[in-house]
Amino acid sequence: MFVFGQQRFFERCRARYGPTFSLRVPTLPPIVVFSDESSVREIFSCRPEDVSVGAALDWMHPFVGRGSLLLKDGEPHRRERRLLMPPFHHSRMASYGVAIRDIARDAMRAWPLDRPFAIEPAARSITLDIILHTVFGVDGSEREELRRALMDLFEDFSVFNLVPALRADLGTLTPWGRFLAHRATLDRLLLRLICQRRRERDAERDDVLAMLLDARHEDGSPMRDEELRDELVTLVSAGHETSTAALAWAFQCLAHHPEAQARASAELESAPDRLEGLGWMDAVVKETLRRHAVFPLVARVLVRPQTIGGWALPEGTLVYVSIHLTHRNPSLWPEPERFDPSRFLDAAPRPFAFVPFGGGSRRCIGKAYALFEMRLIVAEALRRFRIVSTGAPEAAVSRGFTLAPANGAVVRLHARHPARAGRRHRGLHVAHGGEASPERAGSNFGGSHVDA
Ligand code: HEM
């Protein structure tokens, strides 16, 4: 955990020692940090049996449960990923599009105009609702109940809970006691949801939980209730803060680069009903993720000795790919501090120079989902608002295991079409969890139909 707040320190190490350097941190094994393209390729190409991730993330088990994908390695990890991947394949995004767009649209109607407004809390609320709808398949009062339980668990989490010796359960008087109480509430709601969904099998459902209930292990058995619980909490833990921080950075970048924003808005005006072919918008999203690595590093523990970047490293070494430094490596990205979406316009990024979602057998399973969600939400905002900066760009601070803008990405929003601001949208409004409207059935999200 200590490393997430240490990006400036990493930058100083890189300036002094080059793209590869080692660290000694009390209580941790020897650490080697890499940020050059060929070492990143070597690390992400390691055979799954030669590296462990579960060992580096073991501290997360009280949250995500022992059955979580995050804590598995080798063959059990491969098998679990095979079950979890299909709902996140990019061909599935079309089915989530209308809901994502409608949740964002409903929330943005309440965003204040012409005064400073912190995007991050507002984005957090949107991304949580989106996960609850598209992953858990819940709406209305059920969504509110689960939302409260998740927020209690996340917001009340204390660093003391990470140290086993400090985990004293004296009821709600102690951080650990509160954590256990919040977790018990969440588990009760999740197990109730899973049982109810097993009882009422509904072939029309297209949320992630519905697909996981139908998924089968290689021996033909379904996922057990506890397994489903652990993976649902894993998905919300891995997908919620990351998407929130990425959106906050996107708004900050657009506010500070009015020319990039004007080009994105013009592109949207010229393609009023689609998200397909929005090359500039796509480039803005990718450049945001390059410039601000919300997940600044990924870790692998060597299970066997390995040579990486020409360095012979013993078993037990903690190997970091610094996404933050790789994305700022001037030999890969000229003028790396400059926000310049045109880097992504004409050519696909080199796969081991642009790694916001990690790589290899552990690459983020939510990549297509996260990119799709970002494009939809940013497009929705730009159709409604002009985003204006209120001061100097905010520095990055660590929020859990992500890096987010220090003050929550404060911007000022001006109505782009004042006559339309606040007007309720007609057509294509889908009551979440209700019957799909005819527009939904015929809508073209992959190349989403967006008609604000
Ligand atoms: C902009 C948003 C996101 C970013 C930047 C991001 C980034 C990452 C990174 C860097 C990793 C580690 C990869 C590695 O070790 O090589 C990861 C893993 C993971 N992410 Fe994401 N993520 C995002 C959104 C999501 C979403 C929306 C979901 C699901 C709803 C998700 C689910 C996961 C899962 C389950 C893993 C673990 C994969 C494994 O261990 O096999 N992520 N993500």
Side-chain angles (χ1 to χ4, degrees), residues 75 105 162 173 181 194 236 314 317 360:
E75 195 46 28
R105 179 173 284 176
L162 296 175
L173 287 179
I194 293 165
V236 75
T317 307

Side-chain angles (χ1 to χ4, degrees), residues 69-70 77 81 238-239 242 294 300 356-359 362 364-365 369-370:
L69 176 74
L70 295 172
H77 175 261
R81 239 180 113 94
T242 42
V294 298
R300 307 287 188 259
F357 297 98
R362 308 297 298 219
C364 174
I365 67 169
Y369 180 101

Side-chain angles (χ1 to χ4, degrees), residues 43-44 53-54 57 68-73 77-78 80-81 84-85 88 127 131 134-135 208 231-232 234-247 285 289 292-300 321 323 355-371 373-374 401-402:
I43 295 165
F44 286 153
V53 172
L57 295 181
S68 167
L69 176 74
L70 295 172
L71 306 191
K72 292 191 159 97
D73 282 316
H77 175 261
R78 186 196 64 76
E80 193 75 0
R81 239 180 113 94
L84 293 189
M85 291 283 283
F88 292 98
T127 56
I131 287 197
T134 58
V135 177
V208 173
E231 297 307 13
L232 288 174
T234 297
L235 292 172
V236 75
S237 308
H240 174 224
E241 281 297 334
T242 42
S243 304
T244 301
L247 278 167
V285 165
L289 292 170
H292 300 283
V294 298
F295 211 110
L297 59 82
V298 295
R300 307 287 188 259
V321 170
I323 300 176
V355 286
F357 297 98
S361 61
R362 308 297 298 219
R363 193 178 75 172
C364 174
I365 67 169
K367 177 185 171 198
Y369 180 101
L371 289 172
E373 179 186 52
M374 275 183 85
F401 48 92
T402 62

